[in-house]
Amino acid sequence: MACMKLGSKNDAFQRKGQAWFCTTGLPSDITVEVGEMSFHLHKFPLLSRSAVLEKLIAEAEEGENGTVVTLDDLPGGSKTFELVAKFCYGVKLELTAANVVFLRCAAEHLEMTEDYGEGNLIHQTETFLNQVALKSWKDSLRALQSCDDIVSFADQLQITKRCVESLAVKANTDPNLFGWPVIERGGPMQSPGGSVLWNGISTGAIPKNSSSDWWYDDASTLSFHLYKRLISAMDARGMRAEIVSGSIAYYAKRYLPGLNRRQGSNDAGSRVGPSCLTSPPSEEEQKLLVEEIEQLLPVQKGLVSAKFLFGLLRTAMILRADPNCISHLEKRVGMQLDQANLEDLLIPNFSHSMETLYNVDCVERILEHFLAMDQAAGDASPCSIDDGQLMGSPSITPITMVAKLIDGYLAEVAPDINLKLPKFQALAAAVPEFARPLDDGLYRAIDIYLKSHPWLSESEREQLCRLMDCQKLSLEACTHAAQNERLPLRIIVQVLFFEQLQLRNSIAGCFLVSENLDGSRQLRGNMGGSNEGGWATAVRENQVLKVGMDSMRMRVSELEKECSTMRQEIENLGRVKGSSAWGNVSKKFGLGLKLKSQMCSAQEESVSNQSNGVSGKAEKVKAKRGKLKKNV
């Protein structure tokens, strides 16, 4: 820390308890009381330097203990007046960034101008402040920190503003442009051979590269009202919003311990702040800080990580912050919901009036904010659907990522027995249909909910299952659903139908690929391609086709068995005519049984034709392979 020495005399002050004495050999003729401390001094050195002290001494009455003067509201108190007294006596003292603000304010308060001696305290402190302290990042920071205790006096003299402006300029400038060690906070200099200067002398070292967040830790040591002024000054000077937001996030992590519980080592947006404090703020102070941080953060999307925003929202709920603050944080989170992960969404329910383990209502509000923003931005691009088939597959867009995230969240909260069916349905239905390329995640969540809520009626189960589209289930999901006893019978029949439809399309696609391969192979042969290369390619294609056909045959055989079993069950039900069981079944599924029988017959015929087609195609491929082999 830079300093400036004042005075030349040896220290002639001695402290005894709560009193200071000047040991010059002359008896004291005045007592100056500052707070609880008494200074037994001499009149002439004081009145010759200060207009205020001259006036007080003239007005003071002589008492039994001599003249007594009381200084009320002196900036810096007794510690600062000790330095002022030494300056008046010409005793050696050091002017530093830590005491210059106190001395500058005290000198102004005591009117220690040039009219009372050349090089008086106002001039000395002002010179040191402008020419030394404000030229250095470290000294400017230390001077600003000292303003915290006498901010009203410092503001009157524009000291706080000058310190803030000095820091804002230095933080907004690449420190590598000035050479090491302009920052005065790093380790030893490295890499000999550079041209860095220190006090005009080449050190033979080059500076370490500094990132844009080098000042985060230093700025976080300021009290919040000074930190806020520093951030405002940086913003006014055009500092990039992402750098400012990173500093705010760093500051929040330092003074809100709850934010560090789930922060990863690679959290985007800022470095991880200190994990502990010597004296953590109280809950009330943390609550006020959360509300201030929310207002200070820029509103643009993506300036801080979604994880940080979720942590801030969770902390605000725990501390029971202002409802407007929580609402604004939910909107901020909604803007970046596509950047969140499942762990972020698992916000515990901190309200005693709500029975669910997780705050599902909060997630639903966040989703609504995201959908409103996505709709306003025009990012939604639903896929066209024709004849029960998806004609297009949406790319990975923010809304598809959010749909997958919400499906995962539904599966996570589904085991909660206190989660009511309407709330589960409302959150699942809030995601647009076009946002889900596949409904496998939604099916999984519905299955978990049905397993955890076995008391649901048949109508409630059907109502819940209508949330998913059986046409958008993968073959694996269809296979699982066809054997799932928790699903209503009507849903299982739909799943079986669409599963066969997908299988038929897959077989047709396989044959189409095979024909294209044969055509391209003939084209390569006509163009004079190598026979040896064509034979090797044919062998590989034949192996791939054989594996695919074997798999198709196994699946066709399984479907034939399922259709035969279903037909046998329908025939067994038909033999129970006149009984009450048949009456109930025919009443509920009379039309359905006829359709099922017809569907099974059609499916068996389709499967048989497809099997014959597969065999025919295989023979055709073998004939072509033989012809190619003969040519070779």
Side-chain angles (χ1 to χ4, degrees):
M1 184 182 296
C3 65
M4 184 171 71
K5 297 182 186 243
L6 301 177
S8 58
K9 298 179 181 178
N10 295 327
D11 195 352
F13 285 80
Q14 183 178 4
R15 178 174 177 176
K16 295 180 181 179
Q18 294 296 104
W20 279 94
F21 296 89
C22 183
T23 58
T24 58
L26 298 175
S28 172
D29 57 3
I30 186 174
T31 301
V32 181
E33 294 182 350
V34 184
E36 297 179 354
M37 191 69 67
S38 299
F39 293 83
H40 301 273
L41 306 173
H42 303 87
K43 295 180 181 180
F44 180 74
L46 299 180
L47 60 85
S48 64
R49 286 289 189 176
S50 169
V52 172
L53 289 176
E54 180 185 25
K55 180 180 179 181
L56 291 175
I57 291 173
E59 295 175 351
E61 296 181 0
E62 194 78 21
E64 296 180 358
N65 299 324
T67 304
V68 178
V69 174
T70 302
L71 289 177
D72 296 324
D73 301 326
L74 180 71
S78 59
K79 290 183 179 180
T80 301
F81 186 76
E82 175 191 347
L83 297 177
V84 172
K86 289 181 179 181
F87 175 80
C88 293
Y89 278 83
V91 173
K92 295 178 182 179
L93 63 94
E94 286 188 350
L95 205 57
T96 66
N99 61 28
V100 65
V101 177
F102 293 104
L103 286 172
R104 175 65 182 88
C105 294
E108 188 73 24
H109 183 76
L110 296 174
E111 298 181 16
M112 301 176 71
T113 63
E114 293 298 288
D115 295 336
Y116 288 80
E118 185 179 354
N120 209 345
L121 192 55
I122 289 180
H123 173 75
Q124 297 284 6
T125 53
E126 191 68 26
T127 300
F128 179 80
L129 191 62
N130 292 328
Q131 298 182 4
V132 180
L134 296 182
K135 299 295 183 180
S136 161
W137 166 270
K138 187 175 181 180
D139 289 338
S140 298
L141 180 70
R142 189 66 189 89
L144 181 59
Q145 290 171 335
S146 64
C147 292
D148 201 21
D149 296 328
I150 52 172
V151 65
S152 59
F153 294 99
D155 283 344
Q156 292 176 5
L157 300 176
Q158 302 290 312
I159 298 176
T160 309
K161 181 180 179 181
R162 284 185 282 169
C163 291
V164 166
E165 290 294 330
S166 171
L167 293 174
V169 170
K170 293 175 175 59
N172 206 20
T173 305
D174 184 2
N176 294 318
L177 297 177
F178 297 95
W180 186 267
V182 69
I183 308 174
E184 302 180 12
R185 59 185 295 274
M189 290 178 282
Q190 300 176 349
S191 303
S195 58
V196 177
L197 298 180
W198 175 252
N199 290 336
I201 304 173
S202 176
T203 62
I206 61 174
K208 294 184 289 186
N209 291 330
S210 299
S211 59
S212 58
D213 62 355
W214 60 266
W215 53 273
Y216 283 8
D217 189 62
D218 287 339
S220 67
T221 60
L222 297 171
S223 62
F224 187 74
H225 72 94
L226 291 178
Y227 174 79
K228 187 162 59 172
R229 293 173 67 170
L230 175 61
I231 291 298
S232 299
M234 291 179 175
D235 188 55
R237 287 191 166 270
M239 179 171 282
R240 298 201 309 271
E242 59 269 21
I243 299 178
V244 173
S245 300
S247 173
I248 296 172
Y250 189 95
Y251 192 95
K253 292 172 189 175
R254 177 164 191 156
Y255 295 100
L256 297 173
L259 291 179
N260 298 317
R261 294 173 185 170
R262 295 190 177 185
Q263 296 296 330
S265 58
N266 297 324
D267 184 15
S270 70
R271 299 177 298 172
V272 178
S275 59
C276 60
L277 293 171
T278 54
S279 56
S282 64
E283 288 191 5
E284 185 62 26
E285 290 173 338
Q286 292 185 46
K287 172 186 172 183
L288 296 176
L289 181 59
V290 167
E291 296 171 356
E292 292 280 0
I293 289 290
E294 188 281 321
Q295 295 179 5
L296 192 60
L297 275 173
V299 296
Q300 293 93 327
K301 175 184 176 181
L303 296 181
V304 293
S305 66
K307 182 177 290 295
F308 169 75
L309 291 176
F310 270 103
L312 203 61
L313 174 60
R314 188 182 299 108
T315 303
M317 290 180 173
I318 294 174
L319 298 174
R320 303 187 185 282
D322 185 75
N324 290 331
C325 172
I326 295 177
S327 177
H328 292 160
L329 285 173
E330 289 177 351
K331 292 180 180 179
R332 289 179 182 272
V333 169
M335 294 172 63
Q336 299 180 212
L337 186 57
D338 56 304
Q339 303 172 9
N341 56 43
L342 180 57
E343 185 183 8
D344 297 330
L345 286 181
L346 298 178
I347 303 174
N349 207 337
F350 301 107
S351 175
H352 300 292
S353 60
M354 304 178 73
E355 298 177 351
T356 55
L357 179 62
Y358 295 109
N359 197 333
V360 181
D361 292 334
C362 176
V363 174
E364 187 174 358
R365 290 193 298 269
I366 291 173
L367 177 60
E368 289 175 355
H369 293 314
F370 172 81
L371 294 176
M373 182 203 67
D374 186 77
Q375 185 177 7
D379 292 337
S381 56
C383 300
S384 59
I385 300 178
D386 185 24
D387 294 332
Q389 297 296 322
L390 286 173
M391 301 303 295
S393 178
S395 60
I396 302 302
T397 61
I399 196 167
T400 58
M401 296 170 63
V402 168
K404 183 178 179 181
L405 181 65
I406 294 299
D407 288 346
Y409 178 78
L410 288 170
E412 193 70 25
V413 301
D416 190 350
I417 59 174
N418 293 320
L419 180 60
K420 304 302 181 184
L421 179 60
K423 187 171 294 188
F424 183 90
Q425 287 179 298
L427 182 57
V431 179
E433 292 184 4
F434 67 84
R436 292 187 175 103
L438 289 175
D439 275 8
D440 288 16
L442 181 59
Y443 164 68
R444 175 173 173 265
I446 291 175
D447 184 44
I448 296 174
Y449 189 86
L450 291 175
K451 183 178 180 180
S452 304
H453 300 75
W455 55 82
L456 293 178
S457 63
E458 188 73 13
S459 61
E460 289 176 330
R461 290 171 180 268
E462 289 189 7
Q463 183 182 1
L464 181 61
C465 291
R466 290 194 195 103
L467 290 171
M468 64 178 178
D469 187 354
C470 296
Q471 301 180 65
K472 294 165 67 175
L473 294 178
S474 64
L475 284 174
E476 293 79 6
C478 286
T479 303
H480 184 278
Q483 304 172 6
N484 193 342
E485 298 179 353
R486 290 184 287 272
L487 297 181
L489 182 59
R490 184 174 299 177
I491 301 299
I492 294 177
V493 172
Q494 292 180 11
V495 169
L496 285 172
F497 174 76
F498 291 117
E499 182 186 24
Q500 272 206 336
L501 197 60
Q502 290 187 48
L503 184 60
R504 184 179 65 184
N505 293 336
S506 298
I507 295 174
C510 181
F511 289 154
L512 181 60
V513 171
S514 176
E515 292 176 356
N516 290 336
L517 288 175
D518 290 339
S520 63
R521 189 162 50 250
Q522 293 174 4
L523 180 60
R524 288 195 299 268
N526 295 334
M527 293 175 65
S530 172
N531 288 336
E532 289 79 2
W535 173 250
T537 304
V539 171
R540 287 195 299 270
E541 292 174 352
N542 188 29
Q543 291 175 349
V544 173
L545 183 61
K546 184 178 179 181
V547 172
M549 292 172 62
D550 290 341
S551 176
M552 288 296 177
R553 287 194 188 99
M554 293 178 61
R555 187 61 186 147
V556 168
S557 177
E558 292 176 1
L559 288 175
E560 288 176 347
K561 291 179 182 179
E562 291 177 4
C563 287
S564 299
T565 303
M566 185 178 293
R567 170 170 288 184
Q568 186 64 34
E569 291 178 356
I570 294 173
E571 291 176 357
N572 292 338
L573 289 174
R575 296 192 187 99
V576 199
K577 291 182 179 180
S579 63
S580 59
W582 171 254
N584 293 333
V585 172
S586 61
K587 182 179 179 181
K588 186 173 184 180
F589 301 105
L591 180 59
L593 292 174
K594 183 177 180 181
L595 291 175
K596 292 172 191 173
S597 179
Q598 294 175 356
M599 184 180 67
C600 286
S601 299
Q603 290 173 346
E604 286 182 348
E605 182 179 355
S606 174
V607 169
S608 177
N609 293 336
Q610 291 168 3
S611 299
N612 295 334
V614 170
S615 301
K617 290 291 182 180
E619 293 299 330
K620 183 180 178 181
V621 171
K622 287 181 179 178
K624 291 181 179 181
R625 299 294 189 274
K627 184 178 179 180
L628 181 59
K629 183 176 182 182
K630 184 177 180 181
N631 293 334
V632 174

